[in-house]
């Protein structure tokens, strides 16, 4: 169609032609895993749900084939290689892909909601610009925003100083690194920024009512127990101590216990027996000691490190009281508030603090931090929108529930303005209460409406109902799956006799009417962890009990 504009004729695409330019994603002859020569087209810019029995091949098709091939083609297009081509003849009309899976959360104890969301990073920048601290020379309280700064290069490092506005003396400026518990400058030296310290619980390590021969040391097993006992007894002979054969550990002498617990390199032992040098070989009695042995194994990150955890107690660091930062960093304030105090506030309370701070800042201070404050407010707003206003920045991501992790991911998606992307989500409703599923669906539709293709592996009926298109994989699991057995809208799937999902949805599934009587109870008293409020509950035994409630409740 031609349209005249100021004497020029412009080509104008009719609506039907514009729609036809959107090419479907084509997968041709996929044989990865249990897939059997699968070929199909996935509608672009739609919400497409992949359904089917567990193990039928949904993840293989969507993750191992589509997502992997999208990544491979993208990297090769920019001159990079390294991803193996999946067993598929071709995947055409792809785009860069982003995958959101169930197991992509950070299990590092240093990862918190604040660090993962970068809200804590913004706060560190605010404290770098505005924090007040005591001058080490005159002792008066000075604000970073009022002091003259100077940067000096020392080797490959840059050092930032500031001059006290009262006495003029130079001091180290507290930079953003000084407010991070993941840097040498900012981390509490006692706990290295973890906020907690580990201590060996000897009661779990040693049953002192037993002898070594009867298994007193819990983590010594089989031949290893015999070997270590032999080395220990050689150490006792080296120091002229009697051998406590078949003697309960509780009846060991103080020196015998000292060598058992701390080993022959113990300073206390060397002070007690200064005339005897420690043995040099295991055969002559060079016994490591239970405590050094456990610490070494933990540091070496052995395969059984999780099992070793049972021998340690984690307690708040007494140096920083769990606040993770150095004494100077945790004493600095903005608007009379220390940074660790902000980390312990709920996001809702933190937002109120930010809004109150704005009212106290002069024009120069506003100029220094307004971008960071705006970013914090925007990010908190996203968390509020997905129902996470009650979380705190210092909450470790590894302690979040499945539903909370899902909503954290949704908050991140809200920040995205990308279009033309293929989003791959692996069972995003896992851990979500049905009440929260509507919010997830709204996010999926938002991504789709921004011009993205949203491909979801899902079993939830509410998501299936809202899908633009469903692709059913099956008919069974493993070698009995790997085929496309149905596709179309939900009403079309229900009419396709080859679709296991469609046929299941057509059947009636009555609720249970006969219930098993409990045989007893497991009693929980005064539970206060995280958001639990002196919770008391009896959980019946001898029957199947479901614990329900909104995600994060």
């Amino acid at each position: 169609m031609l349209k005249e504009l100021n004497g020029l004729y412009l080509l104008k695409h009719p609506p039907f032609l514009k729609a036809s330019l959107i090419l479907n994603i084509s997968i041709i002859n996929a044989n990865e895993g249990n897939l059997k020569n699968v070929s199909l087209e996935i509608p672009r810019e739609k919400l497409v749900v992949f359904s089917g029995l567990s193990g039928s091949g949904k993840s293989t098709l969507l993750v191992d084939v589509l997502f992997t091939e999208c990544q491979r083609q993208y990297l090769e297009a920019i001159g990079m290689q390294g991803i193996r081509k999946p067993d598929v003849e071709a995947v055409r009309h792809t785009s860069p892909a982003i995958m959101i899976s169930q197991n992509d959360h950070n299990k590092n104890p240093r990862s918190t909601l604040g660090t993962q969301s970068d809200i804590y990073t913004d706060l560190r920048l605010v404290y770098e610009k505005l924090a007040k601290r005591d001058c080490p020379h005159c002792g008066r309280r000075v604000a970073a925003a009022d002091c003259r700064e100077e940067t000096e290069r020392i080797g490959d490092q840059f050092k930032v100083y500031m001059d006290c506005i009262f006495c003029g003396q130079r001091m180290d400026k507290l930079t953003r690194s000084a407010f991070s518990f993941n840097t040498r400058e900012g981390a509490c030296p006692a706990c290295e920024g973890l906020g907690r310290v580990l201590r060996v619980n000897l009661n779990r390590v040693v049953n002192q009512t037993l002898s070594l021969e009867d298994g007193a040391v819990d983590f010594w097993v089989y031949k290893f127990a015999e070997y270590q006992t032999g080395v220990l007894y050689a150490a006792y002979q080296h120091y002229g101590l009697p051998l406590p054969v078949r003697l309960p550990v509780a009846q060991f002498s103080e020196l015998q216990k000292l060598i058992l617990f701390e080993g022959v390199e113990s300073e206390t032992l060397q002070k007690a027996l200064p005339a005897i040098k420690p043995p040099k070989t295991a055969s002559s009695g060079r016994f490591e000691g239970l405590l050094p042995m456990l610490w070494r194994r933990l540091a070496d990150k052995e395969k059984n490190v999780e099992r070793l955890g049972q021998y340690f107690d984690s307690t708040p660091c007494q140096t920083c009281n769990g606040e993770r930062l150095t004494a100077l960093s945790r004493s600095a304030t903005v608007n009379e508030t220390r940074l660790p105090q902000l980390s312990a506030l709920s996001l809702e309370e933190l937002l109120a603090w930010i809004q109150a701070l704005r009212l106290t800042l002069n024009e120069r201070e506003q100029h220094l931090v307004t971008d960071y404050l705006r970013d914090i407010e925007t990010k908190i707003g996203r968390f509020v929108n997905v129902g996470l206003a009650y979380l705190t920045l210092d909450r470790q991501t590894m302690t979040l529930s499945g539903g909370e992790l899902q909503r954290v991911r949704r908050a991140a998606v809200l920040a995205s303005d990308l279009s033309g992307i293929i989003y791959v989500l692996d069972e995003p409703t896992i851990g979500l209460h049905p009440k929260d599923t509507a919010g997830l669906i709204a996010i999926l539709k938002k991504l789709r409406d921004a011009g993205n293709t949203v491909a979801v592996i899902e079993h939830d009926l509410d998501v299936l109902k809202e899908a633009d298109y469903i692709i059913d994989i099956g008919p069974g699991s493993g070698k009995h799956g790997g085929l496309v057995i149905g596709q179309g809208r939900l009403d079309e799937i229900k009419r396709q006799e080859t679709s296991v999902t469609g046929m299941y949805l057509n059947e009636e599934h009555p609720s249970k009417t006969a219930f098993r009587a409990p045989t007893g109870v497991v009693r929980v008293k005064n539970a206060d962890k995280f958001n639990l409020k002196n919770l008391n509950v009896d959980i019946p035994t001898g029957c199947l009990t479901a614990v329900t409630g909104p995600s994060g409740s």
Side-chain angles (χ1 to χ4, degrees), residues 285-461:
R286 189 174 181 83
F287 182 71
E288 185 177 11
L290 298 181
L291 299 181
M293 194 180 299
L294 284 169
W295 284 113
R296 175 179 56 79
R297 288 185 171 192
L298 193 68
D300 289 345
K301 297 181 173 61
E302 292 188 355
K303 291 182 179 179
N304 61 346
V305 67
E306 291 186 4
R307 182 175 179 271
L308 287 176
Q310 66 183 301
Y311 304 118
F312 293 85
D313 286 332
S314 176
T315 58
C317 174
Q318 294 183 351
T319 300
C320 67
N321 294 318
E323 292 186 339
R324 298 186 171 210
L325 298 176
T326 64
L328 180 58
S329 299
R330 64 178 184 270
S331 68
T333 61
V334 172
N335 203 19
E336 306 302 322
T337 308
R338 299 181 302 108
L339 183 53
Q341 290 176 303
L342 291 185
S343 293
L345 294 179
S346 69
L347 293 177
E348 191 173 28
E349 293 168 330
L350 177 59
L351 183 59
W353 184 87
I354 293 291
Q355 293 167 344
L357 174 65
R358 283 189 179 278
L359 301 177
T360 69
L361 302 179
N362 59 40
E363 185 175 346
R364 181 171 177 273
E365 292 169 335
Q366 284 275 6
H367 177 72
L368 289 172
V369 300
T370 187
D371 290 340
Y372 309 130
L373 297 181
R374 185 187 304 116
D375 197 42
I376 293 171
E377 289 171 331
T378 301
K379 288 172 179 173
I380 292 179
R382 295 180 188 132
F383 283 111
V384 171
N385 288 340
V386 295
L388 295 177
Y390 61 90
L391 289 181
T392 61
L393 294 185
D394 59 5
R395 178 75 176 270
Q396 291 177 304
T397 52
M398 61 192 292
T399 68
L400 295 173
S401 71
E404 286 170 329
L405 282 168
Q406 283 289 7
R407 285 186 282 170
V408 167
R409 297 186 187 108
R410 281 161 50 190
V413 167
L414 280 170
S416 174
D417 290 322
L418 295 173
S419 62
I421 300 293
I422 298 173
Y423 281 92
V424 176
L425 293 93
D426 187 1
E427 299 190 56
T429 61
I430 285 183
L432 286 185
H433 189 273
K435 171 180 173 290
D436 299 314
T437 302
L440 170 66
I441 293 171
I443 298 296
L444 299 180
K445 288 183 174 180
K446 174 183 178 292
L447 290 175
R448 175 201 62 191
D449 295 343
N452 300 296
T453 302
V454 183
V456 183
I457 298 169
E458 193 52 81
H459 303 283
D460 187 273
L461 182 57

Side-chain angles (χ1 to χ4, degrees), residues 30 32 36 93 131 140 167 197 207 223 282 305 312 391 411 446 546:
E32 185 77 17
K36 300 179 177 68
H93 313 135
R140 300 181 70 175
C167 68
V197 292
N207 183 344
K223 294 294 183 181
V305 67
F312 293 85
L391 289 181
K446 174 183 178 292

Side-chain angles (χ1 to χ4, degrees), residues 110-146:
R110 293 186 177 275
S111 175
T112 65
L113 182 69
T115 59
Q116 181 168 316
S117 65
D118 279 338
I119 293 176
Y120 189 77
T121 302
D122 286 322
L123 283 174
R124 289 195 292 120
L125 290 164
V126 171
Y127 271 71
E128 177 186 67
K129 303 296 184 183
L130 302 181
K132 291 182 179 181
R133 54 164 290 189
D134 293 334
C135 172
H137 306 288
C138 68
R140 300 181 70 175
R141 198 78 170 164
V142 293
D146 298 332

Side-chain angles (χ1 to χ4, degrees), residues 433-493:
H433 189 273
K435 171 180 173 290
D436 299 314
T437 302
L440 170 66
I441 293 171
I443 298 296
L444 299 180
K445 288 183 174 180
K446 174 183 178 292
L447 290 175
R448 175 201 62 191
D449 295 343
N452 300 296
T453 302
V454 183
V456 183
I457 298 169
E458 193 52 81
H459 303 283
D460 187 273
L461 182 57
D462 290 332
V463 180
L464 288 168
K465 287 178 179 178
E466 296 295 332
D468 299 312
Y469 200 78
I470 298 170
I471 297 174
D472 200 27
I473 308 296
S477 302
K479 67 179 182 180
H480 304 293
L483 297 171
V484 176
I485 56 175
Q487 52 188 318
R489 298 187 308 272
L490 182 62
D491 59 329
E492 294 173 331
I493 287 284

Side-chain angles (χ1 to χ4, degrees), residues 87-99:
D87 189 357
V88 61
E89 181 180 322
V91 178
R92 295 177 180 151
H93 313 135
T94 66
S95 303
I98 295 173
M99 184 170 71

Side-chain angles (χ1 to χ4, degrees), residues 18-29:
K18 181 179 179 182
S20 67
L21 293 176
I22 302 176
L23 299 174
N24 290 339
I25 301 162
S26 296
I27 296 177
I28 302 171
N29 297 332

